[in-house]
Amino acid sequence: MLKISAMETLISRGIIDSYFGKLKSCLQLDAAIVGGGPSGIVAAYYLAKGGYKVALLDRKLSPGGGMWGGAMMFNDIVVQEEAMPIVQELALSYRPYGEGCYIVDSVHATAGLLYQATKAGATVFNCYSVEDVVYKQGRVGGVVVNWTPVLREGLHVDPLTLLSTTVLDATGHDCEIARTVARKNGVRLNTPTGGVAGEMSMDAAEGERTTVENTKEIYPGLFVSGMAANGVSGSFRMGPIFGGMLMSGRKVAGLMAQAIDAARKG
Ligand code: 48H
């Protein structure tokens, strides 16, 4: 049995050694995913499963974005037939409801996605805010990170940097990374306006369709998924149906994998 004092040191040293090992191993990534909502987590899952080095960064203590709360805090979500292969692959429980629709408990779904992504090998950094990107030779090449509490307190503390071959803006309604890239570097994005158009009002079916359609690379090295994909393109919101978010995450993982493979080949 360890002495009490030795055990306290062991606990602290274990966490510090492990955490800094994890952080150092993520200084050069294949994929930096900004935002741990459903589209970002699903992207992290597929990329990690494909053997890529992936980190997912979320400013909140609990990643999961808008999925935990279901609709108006009624903690269930709807998923349509088309996205059910993803729900099944990620081993989530569900029950049929109406034509081509399924209900999934939103807490179970969020926890399940996070479990599968981390189990597949994605590293999650919570309480990290991405405040900028690395921008070199006309490419987005990494993320600039700081502690969320540092930014909340308005403390003048410089950030750290994680380089990455690809960066995903999965920040949801605010499209934060796309906005930052366009504003700070004066560049045109591959979007209808060349910038962030901003999302439109509710049309569930159309919003679901365009979420997947708008999922793409909008600037060399920078990809968008989920609500951010609709936001940059000026498309509809869809309310608490989540199939589009899951399919967007899967699609963007494929696009990012292609870009990473191409970069490796030089
Ligand atoms: C670190 C950041 C930063 C930053 C934001 O909004 P999300 O859940 O993202 P999506 O697009 O995967 O899912 C959208 C869905 O939840 C939703 O809102 C729907 C379907 N709405 C429909 C409707 O009609 O309203 O998650 C985004 C995540 C959050 O966890 C943020 O904390 C995080 O991104 N985040 N993390 N650095 N700069 N900005």
Side-chain angles (χ1 to χ4, degrees):
M1 185 64 181
L2 287 165
K3 284 192 288 179
I4 294 296
S5 59
M7 177 169 273
E8 286 159 349
T9 302
L10 182 69
I11 293 166
S12 300
R13 200 175 54 219
I15 290 171
I16 292 167
D17 280 347
S18 167
Y19 186 84
F20 283 100
K22 194 160 68 174
L23 182 54
K24 276 196 273 185
S25 81
C26 288
L27 292 178
Q28 296 201 351
L29 296 161
D30 294 318
I33 297 181
V34 188
S39 71
I41 306 173
V42 168
Y45 165 78
Y46 281 108
L47 282 160
K49 188 180 158 208
Y52 298 100
K53 181 80 185 161
V54 186
L56 183 148
L57 310 117
D58 199 289
R59 62 156 56 110
K60 301 256 172 73
L61 177 60
S62 304
M67 208 178 193
W68 295 108
M72 244 184 75
M73 298 197 284
F74 303 165
N75 63 0
D76 284 315
I77 55 169
V78 171
V79 178
Q80 64 275 47
E81 189 77 54
E82 236 182 317
M84 288 310 288
I86 303 173
V87 168
Q88 284 155 351
E89 174 168 350
L90 290 162
L92 303 181
S93 305
Y94 57 90
R95 53 183 197 281
Y97 185 84
E99 201 183 320
C101 276
Y102 295 82
I103 300 283
V104 188
D105 178 289
S106 67
V107 174
H108 166 72
T110 314
L113 293 189
L114 284 166
Y115 173 76
Q116 294 293 1
T118 48
K119 188 85 177 158
T123 304
V124 172
F125 291 106
N126 56 343
C127 303
Y128 275 41
S129 286
V130 175
E131 59 168 60
D132 205 344
V133 298
V134 178
Y135 181 77
K136 285 188 194 186
Q137 291 150 359
R139 277 193 75 79
V140 172
V143 288
V144 175
V145 298
N146 215 326
W147 294 119
T148 300
V150 162
L151 298 179
R152 284 223 178 113
E153 287 295 311
L155 303 178
H156 190 161
V157 178
D158 269 334
L160 286 175
T161 299
L162 311 181
L163 294 185
S164 188
T165 308
T166 58
V167 172
L168 174 61
D169 184 342
T171 61
H173 296 269
D174 294 336
C175 320
E176 280 196 29
I177 307 306
R179 264 183 220 286
T180 300
V181 170
R183 177 176 52 82
K184 292 190 106 169
N185 306 296
V187 297
R188 279 187 72 77
L189 306 175
N190 178 21
T191 61
T193 60
V196 174
E199 76 188 30
M200 291 175 68
S201 296
M202 178 88 76
D203 180 337
E206 193 57 8
E208 281 296 271
R209 187 184 68 72
T210 58
T211 300
V212 182
E213 189 178 285
N214 292 327
T215 296
K216 61 181 180 184
E217 187 172 21
I218 57 164
Y219 196 76
L222 178 64
F223 296 74
V224 278
S225 69
M227 272 322 295
N230 268 348
V232 298
S233 301
S235 301
F236 293 95
R237 68 187 300 187
M238 70 299 293
I241 177 162
F242 278 77
M245 299 300 137
L246 306 183
M247 291 187 284
S248 170
R250 183 180 58 184
K251 177 180 172 183
V252 85
L255 298 175
M256 291 167 76
Q258 278 172 20
I260 298 160
D261 292 347
R264 282 181 186 169
K265 282 188 194 132

